[in-house]
């Protein structure tokens, strides 16, 4: 709220300064109509002044937005770390204080394991995001079987969310798909996309993956869900670091806003592109990963 106020303050300040500069310049021109040389000089300075002011205001607004996103990120990461830790602590205390039957103990151990997986997942995502920002990153590209790799990721997500085979359908590829890539990084890409597809689909996810070989020399992997969808105004922003679509009163699944940023960095470092389509809220989304065919 304080930030929003200061954004408004800077925008109003910028507009007032521009209005003042225009008034000064018009007055000055009227007083010095004959002196053409001075007039030209004045116009140049005027243009410089205005450009400087506009740049200054844009910069300030952008900085404030960035800070806002970083705050939101810190909040969500702290929450993502705190919740499973608090849960593990509670179960440990219970185990220590009470003599529980064997099967209850087993159940508690499973919950604690799931919580520690969640902790590890968050830490790994933060690490992956800072890794993708390293300039001199080395990518080890080897031939990979992309349908098989995606199927492995689908298995992992099904077991993460305790889903049946039908919740994620990986369709057979009709063509040979010669791809060279870093297989660990590609797993990160499809684990993130499938995780999101399930996470933003509510209770009954229906996700499908298909493969296409394009005449343009690109392989496409389409990850399609029938979930909550993405408003068209948000389609560009979702790939930004820390960005999450505003909840607008819904209860939002947890997240850090890093997944799609990591996905895009990895795909682009492989010479590919990531695209997203959605017909709007509650009408599902399709993420398309485009990768170049290896020669
Ligand atoms: P996170 O899921 O941790 O918030 P991501 O970077 O993976 O971060 O996604 C950014 C945002 O894009 C999410 O907060 C969500 O609003 C939106 N999003 C991503 N995938 C989907 C999807 N399959 N369906 C609907 N919204 C999605």
């Amino acid at each position: 709220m304080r930030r929003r106020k200061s954004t408004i303050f800077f925008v109003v300040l910028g507009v007032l300064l521009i209005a003042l500069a225009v008034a000064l310049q018009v007055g000055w021109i009227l007083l010095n109509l004959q002196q053409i040389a001075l007039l030209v000089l004045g116009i140049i300075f005027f243009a410089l002044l205005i450009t400087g002011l506009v740049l200054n205001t844009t910069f300030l607004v952008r900085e404030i937005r960035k800070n806002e996103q970083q705050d939101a990120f810190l909040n969500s990461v702290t929450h993502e770390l705190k919740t499973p830790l608090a849960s593990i602590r509670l179960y440990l205390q219970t185990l220590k204080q009470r003599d529980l039957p064997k099967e209850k103990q087993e159940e508690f151990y499973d919950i604690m394991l799931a919580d520690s997986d969640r902790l590890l997942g968050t830490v790994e995502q933060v690490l992956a995001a800072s890794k993708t920002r390293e300039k001199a990153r080395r990518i080890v590209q080897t031939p990979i079987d992309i349908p098989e790799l995606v199927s492995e990721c689908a298995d992992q997500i099904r077991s993460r969310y305790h889903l049946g085979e039908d919740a994620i359908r990986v369709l057979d590829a009709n063509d040979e798909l010669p791809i060279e890539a870093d297989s660990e990084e590609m797993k990160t890409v499809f684990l993130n996309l499938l995780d999101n597809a399930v996470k933003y689909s509510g209770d009954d996810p229906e996700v499908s993956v298909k493969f296409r070989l394009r005449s343009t020399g690109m392989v496409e992997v389409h990850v399609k869900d029938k979930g909550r969808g993405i408003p068209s105004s948000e389609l560009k922003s979702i790939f930004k670091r820390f960005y999450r679509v505003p909840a607008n009163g819904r209860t939002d699944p947890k997240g850090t806003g890093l997944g799609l940023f990591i996905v895009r960095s990895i795909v682009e470092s492989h010479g590919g592109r990531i695209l997203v389509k959605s017909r709007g809220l509650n009408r599902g989304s399709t993420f398309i990963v485009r990768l170049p065919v290896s020669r």
Side-chain angles (χ1 to χ4, degrees), residues 213-218:
L213 179 63
R214 295 284 173 213
S215 52
T216 48
M218 293 298 228

Side-chain angles (χ1 to χ4, degrees), residues 196 199-200 225 229-230 238 243-245 255-257 259-260 285 287:
N196 277 347
K199 191 165 82 171
Y200 296 106
D225 66 62
I230 303 161
I238 54 173
Y243 192 85
R244 308 198 72 216
V245 175
T256 55
L260 289 178
S285 328
F287 284 83

Side-chain angles (χ1 to χ4, degrees), residues 5-190:
K5 272 193 191 145
S6 58
T7 316
I8 294 170
F9 171 75
F10 278 115
V11 172
V12 172
L13 182 69
V15 171
L16 284 178
L17 284 174
I18 291 172
L20 186 68
V22 171
L24 277 176
Q25 183 69 11
V26 170
W28 193 80
I29 290 171
L30 289 176
L31 287 174
N32 297 280
L33 212 51
Q34 292 93 347
Q35 300 167 5
I36 299 295
L38 278 178
L39 182 70
V40 171
L41 217 80
I43 288 173
I44 292 170
F45 280 132
F46 176 60
L48 283 176
L49 186 69
I50 297 293
T51 316
L53 277 171
V54 170
L55 279 179
N56 174 51
T57 313
T58 321
F59 171 77
L60 280 171
V61 171
R62 208 175 284 161
E63 278 305 297
I64 292 165
R65 286 235 177 98
K66 220 187 273 173
N67 273 348
E68 258 173 7
Q69 284 181 0
Q70 274 172 0
D71 275 1
F73 163 73
L74 265 184
N75 281 342
S76 53
V77 167
T78 315
H79 180 89
E80 278 294 280
L81 296 177
K82 206 175 144 194
T83 315
L85 264 182
S87 154
I88 293 174
R89 191 161 183 272
L90 198 76
Y91 283 110
L92 280 176
Q93 275 173 345
T94 317
L95 282 169
K96 195 174 168 207
Q97 284 164 4
R98 293 210 204 140
D99 214 2
L100 294 166
K102 185 93 179 111
E103 67 265 30
K104 204 74 197 157
Q105 286 184 13
E106 289 296 329
E107 188 191 321
F108 281 14
Y109 290 140
D110 284 344
I111 297 173
M112 286 194 287
L113 268 177
D115 279 333
S116 55
D117 280 348
R118 185 171 156 193
L119 269 178
L120 210 64
T122 306
V123 173
E124 271 168 4
Q125 208 170 40
V126 175
L127 286 178
S130 64
K131 204 173 114 197
T132 55
R133 285 169 67 79
E134 285 170 20
K135 290 226 165 60
R137 195 158 58 98
R138 268 191 49 217
I139 307 171
V140 190
Q141 300 214 3
T142 50
I144 57 166
D145 183 339
I146 193 99
E148 192 179 315
L149 183 139
V150 173
S151 296
E152 280 172 27
C153 296
D155 285 340
Q156 226 167 303
I157 298 297
R158 278 191 209 101
S159 87
R160 184 179 298 171
Y161 289 94
H162 311 288
L163 296 170
E165 194 72 23
D166 277 354
I168 307 176
R169 289 182 306 128
V170 181
L171 306 176
D172 288 335
N174 296 324
D175 308 283
E176 277 277 299
L177 306 170
I179 294 281
E180 278 186 15
D182 183 317
S183 67
E184 281 313 306
E185 296 213 330
M186 277 303 133
K187 271 187 198 152
T188 307
V189 166
F190 292 104

Side-chain angles (χ1 to χ4, degrees), residues 220-234:
E220 284 183 359
V221 186
H222 297 231
V223 179
K224 183 175 177 183
D225 66 62
K226 295 188 177 171
R228 71 153 67 167
I230 303 161
S232 55
S233 56
E234 302 285 348

